[in-house]
Amino acid sequence: MEPVADQFMEFHPIHGANVRLDHSGTQATRVESFANGVCFSKHPLKPGEIFLIEIVDKELGWCGHLRVGLTARDPRGLEVVPEYSIPDLTDLGNSWVFAITRNHNKVESAGVEGQEAGDRGQAGGQRLGRGEVEDKDRTDHSSQPQSFFTESYLYIENVRIPKDKLVGRSRPGRYSHILDDLYKTNALPPTARRSRIGVLYVPKGRDMADMHIIINGEDMGPSAKGISASQPLFAVVDVFAATKCVRIVQVEYGFSSLQTLCRKAIQKHIIHRMAIEWLELPEALKHYCKYE
């Protein structure tokens, strides 16, 4: 199954008191303190549709990082936006939120305690995990380092997501090709600037679904199981503590555009992204091929 995106992803105009959105509604900045940074997607997500954000800026001096998840609560129905996504929003029920840590974001087996103190949430009767224990028989190869340019899709169950936007990229510079490889293999902390983190739900039987968190193109596993998919599900992004600003990355589904096909053809014949500078191409095309 491949989602069909027929809407431009934006943040909901209802958000935490300390959040400021840019004019496009795609960048959210926490302007003061460390809390009241809860944001929602403007529209409910479709099955298999990823809400993908990139960490734009951070703020030193705070403990804790970005939190992402899903909620069945329409933001318009909230009397007040909760100060914290965990535990305030999750305590309201029908909300599943996962705290992104510097390490250990993969899901543990059921029943194992997880998350740092205060970073707890219920997910369909199971507690969210934070360990790296994986099923040895797992056949999902998305967690194995692969060539970013040759592997075009991330597969989760029967959902297929184009991979070209999922992986974080460094700012263009002398060592960009080295940093880019670190993003691709998840060697950098997921809380680093330019990391890309997404949330989606995957249908599991009749009117049920699992929530998955994607970090730089790698599936962290089902962070919440047994979610009712018969109700609209909004993405939740909590711009919390050390995370200062995030922006939405638009994902292109279906048939690739001619621009995307040209970019992939160029990338297959270069050593690394910054080698595009050596090509005799218009500057605008160079920027596009480097994902700027």
Side-chain angles (χ1 to χ4, degrees), residues 45-211:
L45 301 184
K46 296 180 176 63
E49 185 177 40
I50 189 170
F51 192 82
L52 182 66
I53 58 98
E54 178 180 278
I55 298 176
V56 175
D57 200 8
K58 300 181 68 177
E59 187 172 34
L60 299 177
W62 300 115
C63 180
H65 300 279
L66 184 75
R67 298 165 173 184
V68 298
L70 298 171
T71 182
R73 293 186 171 272
D74 190 324
R76 296 172 297 180
L78 294 172
E79 293 184 7
V80 61
V81 176
E83 184 177 6
Y84 305 99
S85 59
I86 306 173
D88 297 1
L89 180 61
T90 54
D91 282 353
L92 294 177
N94 291 326
S95 297
W96 306 267
V97 183
F98 192 93
I100 305 300
T101 62
R102 287 179 58 85
N103 301 291
H104 312 305
N105 292 288
K106 287 188 178 179
V107 178
E108 284 184 341
S109 56
V112 181
E113 289 289 326
Q115 302 292 26
E116 297 171 348
D119 285 348
R120 298 177 184 273
Q122 293 298 323
Q126 292 188 6
R127 189 174 297 279
L128 301 182
R130 59 156 292 184
E132 294 182 309
V133 178
E134 293 185 271
D135 188 341
K136 294 181 179 180
D137 296 327
R138 183 179 175 183
T139 57
D140 179 8
H141 300 292
S142 61
S143 62
Q144 300 175 6
Q146 297 172 331
S147 171
F148 180 71
F149 291 147
T150 58
E151 296 295 329
S152 299
Y153 296 94
L154 173 67
Y155 292 90
I156 306 174
E157 302 286 341
N158 62 336
V159 171
R160 186 176 77 163
I161 307 171
K163 205 171 182 182
D164 64 331
K165 295 289 186 71
L166 299 184
V167 179
R169 297 168 185 86
S170 64
R171 295 186 183 278
R174 185 174 181 181
Y175 300 106
S176 293
H177 60 290
I178 299 174
L179 290 172
D180 287 349
D181 285 340
L182 296 179
Y183 282 115
K184 294 171 192 174
T185 56
N186 270 342
L188 290 176
T191 56
R193 287 184 180 88
R194 313 284 281 189
S195 281
R196 293 186 176 183
I197 299 168
V199 61
L200 72 153
Y201 67 93
V202 178
K204 297 286 289 186
R206 186 176 180 179
D207 294 333
M208 302 298 287
D210 290 350
M211 181 182 82

Side-chain angles (χ1 to χ4, degrees), residues 20-41:
R20 297 293 180 271
L21 302 182
D22 70 347
H23 68 280
S24 69
T26 62
Q27 184 161 298
T29 304
R30 194 188 67 257
V31 294
E32 61 181 352
S33 186
F34 63 94
N36 281 303
V38 177
C39 303
F40 307 94
S41 58

